[in-house]
PDB file of all heavy atoms in Angstrom:
ATOM      1  N   LEU A 975       4.022   0.967 -12.393  1.00 90.00           N
ATOM      2  CA  LEU A 975       3.948  -0.091 -11.441  1.00 90.00           C
ATOM      3  C   LEU A 975       2.597  -0.526 -11.458  1.00 90.00           C
ATOM      4  O   LEU A 975       1.677   0.261 -11.145  1.00 90.00           O
ATOM      5  CB  LEU A 975       4.467   0.513 -10.090  1.00 90.00           C
ATOM      6  CG  LEU A 975       4.566  -0.443  -8.922  1.00 90.00           C
ATOM      7  CD1 LEU A 975       5.601  -1.569  -9.263  1.00 90.00           C
ATOM      8  CD2 LEU A 975       4.926   0.359  -7.717  1.00 90.00           C
ATOM      9  N   GLY A 976       2.317  -1.772 -11.947  1.00 86.00           N
ATOM     10  CA  GLY A 976       0.990  -2.317 -12.039  1.00 86.00           C
ATOM     11  C   GLY A 976       0.517  -3.313 -11.134  1.00 86.00           C
ATOM     12  O   GLY A 976       1.345  -4.000 -10.457  1.00 86.00           O
ATOM     13  N   GLU A 977      -0.757  -3.392 -10.950  1.00 78.00           N
ATOM     14  CA  GLU A 977      -1.461  -4.405 -10.115  1.00 78.00           C
ATOM     15  C   GLU A 977      -0.822  -4.521  -8.725  1.00 78.00           C
ATOM     16  O   GLU A 977      -0.419  -5.621  -8.303  1.00 78.00           O
ATOM     17  CB  GLU A 977      -1.385  -5.770 -10.771  1.00 78.00           C
ATOM     18  CG  GLU A 977      -2.330  -5.855 -11.946  1.00 78.00           C
ATOM     19  CD  GLU A 977      -2.581  -7.105 -12.574  1.00 78.00           C
ATOM     20  OE1 GLU A 977      -2.341  -8.196 -11.833  1.00 78.00           O
ATOM     21  OE2 GLU A 977      -3.046  -7.230 -13.669  1.00 78.00           O
ATOM     22  N   THR A 978      -0.741  -3.334  -8.097  1.00 78.00           N
ATOM     23  CA  THR A 978      -0.177  -3.307  -6.753  1.00 78.00           C
ATOM     24  C   THR A 978      -1.263  -3.489  -5.629  1.00 78.00           C
ATOM     25  O   THR A 978      -2.450  -3.205  -5.820  1.00 78.00           O
ATOM     26  CB  THR A 978       0.584  -2.053  -6.470  1.00 78.00           C
ATOM     27  OG1 THR A 978      -0.387  -0.877  -6.560  1.00 78.00           O
ATOM     28  CG2 THR A 978       1.645  -1.790  -7.531  1.00 78.00           C
ATOM     29  N   ALA A 979      -0.842  -3.916  -4.533  1.00 70.00           N
ATOM     30  CA  ALA A 979      -1.741  -4.043  -3.339  1.00 70.00           C
ATOM     31  C   ALA A 979      -0.838  -3.938  -1.985  1.00 70.00           C
ATOM     32  O   ALA A 979       0.263  -4.046  -2.216  1.00 70.00           O
ATOM     33  CB  ALA A 979      -2.536  -5.313  -3.420  1.00 70.00           C
ATOM     34  N   ASN A 980      -1.532  -3.980  -0.910  1.00 69.00           N
ATOM     35  CA  ASN A 980      -0.682  -4.073   0.333  1.00 69.00           C
ATOM     36  C   ASN A 980      -0.489  -5.410   0.836  1.00 69.00           C
ATOM     37  O   ASN A 980       0.463  -5.586   1.587  1.00 69.00           O
ATOM     38  CB  ASN A 980      -1.307  -3.032   1.329  1.00 69.00           C
ATOM     39  CG  ASN A 980      -2.742  -3.402   1.682  1.00 69.00           C
ATOM     40  OD1 ASN A 980      -3.288  -4.569   1.478  1.00 69.00           O
ATOM     41  ND2 ASN A 980      -3.570  -2.379   1.854  1.00 69.00           N
ATOM     42  N   VAL A 981      -1.369  -6.383   0.479  1.00 73.00           N
ATOM     43  CA  VAL A 981      -1.126  -7.782   0.840  1.00 73.00           C
ATOM     44  C   VAL A 981      -1.586  -8.617  -0.295  1.00 73.00           C
ATOM     45  O   VAL A 981      -2.734  -8.338  -0.831  1.00 73.00           O
ATOM     46  CB  VAL A 981      -1.883  -8.116   2.130  1.00 73.00           C
ATOM     47  CG1 VAL A 981      -1.724  -9.573   2.449  1.00 73.00           C
ATOM     48  CG2 VAL A 981      -1.430  -7.298   3.305  1.00 73.00           C
ATOM     49  N   ALA A 982      -0.846  -9.575  -0.660  1.00 72.00           N
ATOM     50  CA  ALA A 982      -1.320 -10.480  -1.776  1.00 72.00           C
ATOM     51  C   ALA A 982      -2.522 -11.349  -1.455  1.00 72.00           C
ATOM     52  O   ALA A 982      -2.873 -11.444  -0.365  1.00 72.00           O
ATOM     53  CB  ALA A 982      -0.083 -11.381  -2.212  1.00 72.00           C
ATOM     54  N   GLY A 983      -3.257 -11.738  -2.433  1.00 71.00           N
ATOM     55  CA  GLY A 983      -4.334 -12.621  -2.372  1.00 71.00           C
ATOM     56  C   GLY A 983      -5.576 -12.040  -1.802  1.00 71.00           C
ATOM     57  O   GLY A 983      -6.337 -12.711  -1.109  1.00 71.00           O
ATOM     58  N   GLY A 984      -5.847 -10.840  -2.114  1.00 73.00           N
ATOM     59  CA  GLY A 984      -7.110 -10.202  -1.722  1.00 73.00           C
ATOM     60  C   GLY A 984      -6.987  -9.276  -0.542  1.00 73.00           C
ATOM     61  O   GLY A 984      -7.862  -8.626  -0.191  1.00 73.00           O
ATOM     62  N   GLY A 985      -5.845  -9.257   0.173  1.00 75.00           N
ATOM     63  CA  GLY A 985      -5.626  -8.339   1.302  1.00 75.00           C
ATOM     64  C   GLY A 985      -5.944  -9.021   2.697  1.00 75.00           C
ATOM     65  O   GLY A 985      -6.150 -10.214   2.738  1.00 75.00           O
ATOM     66  N   ALA A 986      -5.629  -8.309   3.651  1.00 79.00           N
ATOM     67  CA  ALA A 986      -5.751  -8.824   5.049  1.00 79.00           C
ATOM     68  C   ALA A 986      -7.021  -8.120   5.697  1.00 79.00           C
ATOM     69  O   ALA A 986      -7.213  -6.940   5.860  1.00 79.00           O
ATOM     70  CB  ALA A 986      -4.518  -8.433   5.840  1.00 79.00           C
ATOM     71  N   LYS A 987      -7.900  -9.025   6.076  1.00 83.00           N
ATOM     72  CA  LYS A 987      -9.293  -8.546   6.623  1.00 83.00           C
ATOM     73  C   LYS A 987      -8.919  -7.730   7.907  1.00 83.00           C
ATOM     74  O   LYS A 987      -8.164  -8.061   8.749  1.00 83.00           O
ATOM     75  CB  LYS A 987     -10.076  -9.744   6.981  1.00 83.00           C
ATOM     76  CG  LYS A 987     -11.483  -9.288   7.377  1.00 83.00           C
ATOM     77  CD  LYS A 987     -12.295 -10.598   7.378  1.00 83.00           C
ATOM     78  CE  LYS A 987     -13.801 -10.227   7.604  1.00 83.00           C
ATOM     79  NZ  LYS A 987     -14.438  -9.413   6.663  1.00 83.00           N
ATOM     80  N   GLY A 988      -9.606  -6.569   7.913  1.00 82.00           N
ATOM     81  CA  GLY A 988      -9.355  -5.651   8.995  1.00 82.00           C
ATOM     82  C   GLY A 988      -8.173  -4.931   9.104  1.00 82.00           C
ATOM     83  O   GLY A 988      -7.937  -4.087  10.090  1.00 82.00           O
ATOM     84  N   LEU A 989      -7.246  -4.983   8.097  1.00 84.00           N
ATOM     85  CA  LEU A 989      -5.991  -4.318   8.061  1.00 84.00           C
ATOM     86  C   LEU A 989      -5.878  -3.503   6.691  1.00 84.00           C
ATOM     87  O   LEU A 989      -5.493  -2.365   6.701  1.00 84.00           O
ATOM     88  CB  LEU A 989      -4.789  -5.110   8.265  1.00 84.00           C
ATOM     89  CG  LEU A 989      -4.674  -5.845   9.636  1.00 84.00           C
ATOM     90  CD1 LEU A 989      -3.629  -6.892   9.680  1.00 84.00           C
ATOM     91  CD2 LEU A 989      -4.458  -4.777  10.698  1.00 84.00           C
ATOM     92  N   SER A 990      -6.049  -4.282   5.593  1.00 82.00           N
ATOM     93  CA  SER A 990      -5.822  -3.755   4.258  1.00 82.00           C
ATOM     94  C   SER A 990      -6.848  -2.560   3.970  1.00 82.00           C
ATOM     95  O   SER A 990      -6.533  -1.749   3.042  1.00 82.00           O
ATOM     96  CB  SER A 990      -6.012  -4.797   3.220  1.00 82.00           C
ATOM     97  OG  SER A 990      -4.946  -5.662   3.349  1.00 82.00           O
ATOM     98  N   ASP A 991      -7.944  -2.457   4.752  1.00 85.00           N
ATOM     99  CA  ASP A 991      -8.902  -1.471   4.459  1.00 85.00           C
ATOM    100  C   ASP A 991      -9.025  -0.398   5.513  1.00 85.00           C
ATOM    101  O   ASP A 991      -9.965   0.330   5.679  1.00 85.00           O
ATOM    102  CB  ASP A 991     -10.305  -2.076   4.156  1.00 85.00           C
ATOM    103  CG  ASP A 991     -10.711  -2.939   5.297  1.00 85.00           C
ATOM    104  OD1 ASP A 991      -9.951  -3.155   6.311  1.00 85.00           O
ATOM    105  OD2 ASP A 991     -11.919  -3.217   5.309  1.00 85.00           O
ATOM    106  N   ARG A 992      -7.859  -0.314   6.281  1.00 88.00           N
ATOM    107  CA  ARG A 992      -7.827   0.541   7.430  1.00 88.00           C
ATOM    108  C   ARG A 992      -6.639   1.607   7.212  1.00 88.00           C
ATOM    109  O   ARG A 992      -5.801   1.429   6.347  1.00 88.00           O
ATOM    110  CB  ARG A 992      -7.600  -0.159   8.768  1.00 88.00           C
ATOM    111  CG  ARG A 992      -8.637  -1.151   8.957  1.00 88.00           C
ATOM    112  CD  ARG A 992      -9.974  -0.513   9.410  1.00 88.00           C
ATOM    113  NE  ARG A 992     -10.905  -1.444   9.813  1.00 88.00           N
ATOM    114  CZ  ARG A 992     -11.949  -1.850   9.186  1.00 88.00           C
ATOM    115  NH1 ARG A 992     -12.084  -1.489   7.895  1.00 88.00           N
ATOM    116  NH2 ARG A 992     -12.814  -2.742   9.721  1.00 88.00           N
ATOM    117  N   PHE A 993      -6.635   2.669   8.092  1.00 90.00           N
ATOM    118  CA  PHE A 993      -5.610   3.643   7.901  1.00 90.00           C
ATOM    119  C   PHE A 993      -4.201   3.100   8.005  1.00 90.00           C
ATOM    120  O   PHE A 993      -3.279   3.629   7.387  1.00 90.00           O
ATOM    121  CB  PHE A 993      -5.835   4.686   9.001  1.00 90.00           C
ATOM    122  CG  PHE A 993      -6.872   5.742   8.614  1.00 90.00           C
ATOM    123  CD1 PHE A 993      -8.200   5.550   9.228  1.00 90.00           C
ATOM    124  CD2 PHE A 993      -6.749   6.650   7.795  1.00 90.00           C
ATOM    125  CE1 PHE A 993      -9.154   6.494   8.950  1.00 90.00           C
ATOM    126  CE2 PHE A 993      -7.802   7.563   7.368  1.00 90.00           C
ATOM    127  CZ  PHE A 993      -8.928   7.391   8.005  1.00 90.00           C
ATOM    128  N   VAL A 994      -3.996   1.980   8.741  1.00 89.00           N
ATOM    129  CA  VAL A 994      -2.618   1.502   8.812  1.00 89.00           C
ATOM    130  C   VAL A 994      -2.021   1.122   7.427  1.00 89.00           C
ATOM    131  O   VAL A 994      -0.916   1.221   7.249  1.00 89.00           O
ATOM    132  CB  VAL A 994      -2.612   0.327   9.857  1.00 89.00           C
ATOM    133  CG1 VAL A 994      -3.236  -0.876   9.242  1.00 89.00           C
ATOM    134  CG2 VAL A 994      -1.089  -0.008  10.229  1.00 89.00           C
ATOM    135  N   SER A 995      -2.811   0.713   6.463  1.00 88.00           N
ATOM    136  CA  SER A 995      -2.432   0.362   5.161  1.00 88.00           C
ATOM    137  C   SER A 995      -1.828   1.511   4.443  1.00 88.00           C
ATOM    138  O   SER A 995      -1.096   1.359   3.450  1.00 88.00           O
ATOM    139  CB  SER A 995      -3.546  -0.266   4.371  1.00 88.00           C
ATOM    140  OG  SER A 995      -4.466   0.644   4.019  1.00 88.00           O
ATOM    141  N   GLY A 996      -2.160   2.813   4.943  1.00 89.00           N
ATOM    142  CA  GLY A 996      -1.605   3.882   4.413  1.00 89.00           C
ATOM    143  C   GLY A 996      -0.072   4.011   4.403  1.00 89.00           C
ATOM    144  O   GLY A 996       0.607   4.502   3.532  1.00 89.00           O
ATOM    145  N   PHE A 997       0.496   3.385   5.470  1.00 88.00           N
ATOM    146  CA  PHE A 997       2.002   3.327   5.518  1.00 88.00           C
ATOM    147  C   PHE A 997       2.475   2.650   4.223  1.00 88.00           C
ATOM    148  O   PHE A 997       3.541   3.128   3.716  1.00 88.00           O
ATOM    149  CB  PHE A 997       2.500   2.553   6.799  1.00 88.00           C
ATOM    150  CG  PHE A 997       2.248   3.446   8.057  1.00 88.00           C
ATOM    151  CD1 PHE A 997       1.286   2.899   8.997  1.00 88.00           C
ATOM    152  CD2 PHE A 997       2.997   4.554   8.416  1.00 88.00           C
ATOM    153  CE1 PHE A 997       1.046   3.599  10.141  1.00 88.00           C
ATOM    154  CE2 PHE A 997       2.648   5.244   9.524  1.00 88.00           C
ATOM    155  CZ  PHE A 997       1.763   4.775  10.419  1.00 88.00           C
ATOM    156  N   LEU A 998       2.074   1.503   3.890  1.00 89.00           N
ATOM    157  CA  LEU A 998       2.469   0.837   2.665  1.00 89.00           C
ATOM    158  C   LEU A 998       2.124   1.596   1.492  1.00 89.00           C
ATOM    159  O   LEU A 998       3.013   1.586   0.549  1.00 89.00           O
ATOM    160  CB  LEU A 998       1.876  -0.633   2.564  1.00 89.00           C
ATOM    161  CG  LEU A 998       2.300  -1.576   3.662  1.00 89.00           C
ATOM    162  CD1 LEU A 998       1.489  -2.853   3.720  1.00 89.00           C
ATOM    163  CD2 LEU A 998       3.850  -1.954   3.379  1.00 89.00           C
ATOM    164  N   TRP A 999       0.911   2.113   1.386  1.00 90.00           N
ATOM    165  CA  TRP A 999       0.563   2.809   0.148  1.00 90.00           C
ATOM    166  C   TRP A 999       1.320   4.052  -0.128  1.00 90.00           C
ATOM    167  O   TRP A 999       1.757   4.205  -1.287  1.00 90.00           O
ATOM    168  CB  TRP A 999      -0.909   3.066   0.208  1.00 90.00           C
ATOM    169  CG  TRP A 999      -1.689   3.671  -0.942  1.00 90.00           C
ATOM    170  CD1 TRP A 999      -2.495   4.790  -0.833  1.00 90.00           C
ATOM    171  CD2 TRP A 999      -1.626   3.324  -2.305  1.00 90.00           C
ATOM    172  NE1 TRP A 999      -2.951   5.033  -2.014  1.00 90.00           N
ATOM    173  CE2 TRP A 999      -2.501   4.192  -3.027  1.00 90.00           C
ATOM    174  CE3 TRP A 999      -0.963   2.316  -2.963  1.00 90.00           C
ATOM    175  CZ2 TRP A 999      -2.699   4.074  -4.335  1.00 90.00           C
ATOM    176  CZ3 TRP A 999      -1.178   2.243  -4.317  1.00 90.00           C
ATOM    177  CH2 TRP A 999      -2.047   3.137  -5.031  1.00 90.00           C
ATOM    178  N   LEU A1000       1.476   4.835   0.902  1.00 91.00           N
ATOM    179  CA  LEU A1000       2.286   6.157   0.680  1.00 91.00           C
ATOM    180  C   LEU A1000       3.783   5.821   0.421  1.00 91.00           C
ATOM    181  O   LEU A1000       4.330   6.468  -0.369  1.00 91.00           O
ATOM    182  CB  LEU A1000       2.066   7.024   1.978  1.00 91.00           C
ATOM    183  CG  LEU A1000       0.680   7.636   2.045  1.00 91.00           C
ATOM    184  CD1 LEU A1000       0.602   8.453   3.295  1.00 91.00           C
ATOM    185  CD2 LEU A1000       0.375   8.475   0.793  1.00 91.00           C
ATOM    186  N   ASN A1001       4.282   4.768   1.125  1.00 90.00           N
ATOM    187  CA  ASN A1001       5.643   4.371   0.845  1.00 90.00           C
ATOM    188  C   ASN A1001       5.786   3.967  -0.715  1.00 90.00           C
ATOM    189  O   ASN A1001       6.699   4.247  -1.422  1.00 90.00           O
ATOM    190  CB  ASN A1001       6.024   3.130   1.746  1.00 90.00           C
ATOM    191  CG  ASN A1001       7.465   2.660   1.622  1.00 90.00           C
ATOM    192  OD1 ASN A1001       8.389   3.521   1.949  1.00 90.00           O
ATOM    193  ND2 ASN A1001       7.577   1.506   1.116  1.00 90.00           N
ATOM    194  N   LYS A1002       4.798   3.191  -1.124  1.00 91.00           N
ATOM    195  CA  LYS A1002       4.817   2.754  -2.539  1.00 91.00           C
ATOM    196  C   LYS A1002       4.670   3.999  -3.513  1.00 91.00           C
ATOM    197  O   LYS A1002       5.484   3.957  -4.426  1.00 91.00           O
ATOM    198  CB  LYS A1002       3.594   1.851  -2.780  1.00 91.00           C
ATOM    199  CG  LYS A1002       3.524   1.254  -4.124  1.00 91.00           C
ATOM    200  CD  LYS A1002       2.424   0.208  -4.252  1.00 91.00           C
ATOM    201  CE  LYS A1002       2.731  -0.971  -3.388  1.00 91.00           C
ATOM    202  NZ  LYS A1002       1.752  -1.998  -3.436  1.00 91.00           N
ATOM    203  N   LEU A1003       3.859   4.913  -3.213  1.00 93.00           N
ATOM    204  CA  LEU A1003       3.747   5.971  -4.055  1.00 93.00           C
ATOM    205  C   LEU A1003       5.041   6.843  -4.001  1.00 93.00           C
ATOM    206  O   LEU A1003       5.526   7.431  -5.173  1.00 93.00           O
ATOM    207  CB  LEU A1003       2.581   6.907  -3.701  1.00 93.00           C
ATOM    208  CG  LEU A1003       1.144   6.287  -3.875  1.00 93.00           C
ATOM    209  CD1 LEU A1003       0.012   7.261  -3.292  1.00 93.00           C
ATOM    210  CD2 LEU A1003       0.887   6.024  -5.352  1.00 93.00           C
ATOM    211  N   GLY A1004       5.676   7.062  -2.834  1.00 91.00           N
ATOM    212  CA  GLY A1004       6.825   7.814  -2.787  1.00 91.00           C
ATOM    213  C   GLY A1004       8.014   7.125  -3.506  1.00 91.00           C
ATOM    214  O   GLY A1004       8.865   7.737  -4.228  1.00 91.00           O
ATOM    215  N   LEU A1005       8.111   5.832  -3.308  1.00 90.00           N
ATOM    216  CA  LEU A1005       9.288   5.105  -3.829  1.00 90.00           C
ATOM    217  C   LEU A1005       9.113   5.102  -5.388  1.00 90.00           C
ATOM    218  O   LEU A1005      10.108   5.211  -6.180  1.00 90.00           O
ATOM    219  CB  LEU A1005       9.368   3.639  -3.224  1.00 90.00           C
ATOM    220  CG  LEU A1005       9.972   3.521  -1.924  1.00 90.00           C
ATOM    221  CD1 LEU A1005       9.847   2.011  -1.395  1.00 90.00           C
ATOM    222  CD2 LEU A1005      11.480   3.900  -1.996  1.00 90.00           C
ATOM    223  N   ALA A1006       7.863   4.794  -5.818  1.00 92.00           N
ATOM    224  CA  ALA A1006       7.637   4.747  -7.314  1.00 92.00           C
ATOM    225  C   ALA A1006       8.082   6.078  -7.904  1.00 92.00           C
ATOM    226  O   ALA A1006       8.746   6.113  -9.027  1.00 92.00           O
ATOM    227  CB  ALA A1006       6.283   4.382  -7.650  1.00 92.00           C
ATOM    228  N   ALA A1007       7.720   7.200  -7.334  1.00 92.00           N
ATOM    229  CA  ALA A1007       8.130   8.569  -7.791  1.00 92.00           C
ATOM    230  C   ALA A1007       9.507   8.756  -7.748  1.00 92.00           C
ATOM    231  O   ALA A1007      10.159   9.243  -8.758  1.00 92.00           O
ATOM    232  CB  ALA A1007       7.314   9.552  -6.968  1.00 92.00           C
ATOM    233  N   GLN A1008      10.281   8.338  -6.694  1.00 90.00           N
ATOM    234  CA  GLN A1008      11.706   8.411  -6.541  1.00 90.00           C
ATOM    235  C   GLN A1008      12.425   7.629  -7.700  1.00 90.00           C
ATOM    236  O   GLN A1008      13.477   8.044  -8.223  1.00 90.00           O
ATOM    237  CB  GLN A1008      12.244   7.969  -5.235  1.00 90.00           C
ATOM    238  CG  GLN A1008      12.171   8.981  -4.146  1.00 90.00           C
ATOM    239  CD  GLN A1008      12.763   8.454  -2.825  1.00 90.00           C
ATOM    240  OE1 GLN A1008      12.881   7.197  -2.737  1.00 90.00           O
ATOM    241  NE2 GLN A1008      13.162   9.334  -1.946  1.00 90.00           N
ATOM    242  N   HIS A1009      11.865   6.536  -8.047  1.00 91.00           N
ATOM    243  CA  HIS A1009      12.441   5.660  -9.165  1.00 91.00           C
ATOM    244  C   HIS A1009      11.961   6.082 -10.569  1.00 91.00           C
ATOM    245  O   HIS A1009      12.328   5.495 -11.469  1.00 91.00           O
ATOM    246  CB  HIS A1009      12.126   4.252  -8.902  1.00 91.00           C
ATOM    247  CG  HIS A1009      12.895   3.622  -7.778  1.00 91.00           C
ATOM    248  ND1 HIS A1009      13.895   2.748  -7.963  1.00 91.00           N
ATOM    249  CD2 HIS A1009      12.786   3.692  -6.520  1.00 91.00           C
ATOM    250  CE1 HIS A1009      14.368   2.304  -6.814  1.00 91.00           C
ATOM    251  NE2 HIS A1009      13.818   2.924  -5.829  1.00 91.00           N
ATOM    252  N   GLY A1010      11.199   7.088 -10.657  1.00 91.00           N
ATOM    253  CA  GLY A1010      10.846   7.550 -11.919  1.00 91.00           C
ATOM    254  C   GLY A1010       9.671   6.956 -12.552  1.00 91.00           C
ATOM    255  O   GLY A1010       9.327   7.066 -13.804  1.00 91.00           O
TER     256      GLY A1010
END
């Protein structure tokens, strides 16, 4: 799974670089692993 991010276009100021983005990031890592 390549070139992933939490928000397209450079991210969301004040959100993409905070702990809340971890929900999307960990969901992505978990789903990617489940899908092989």
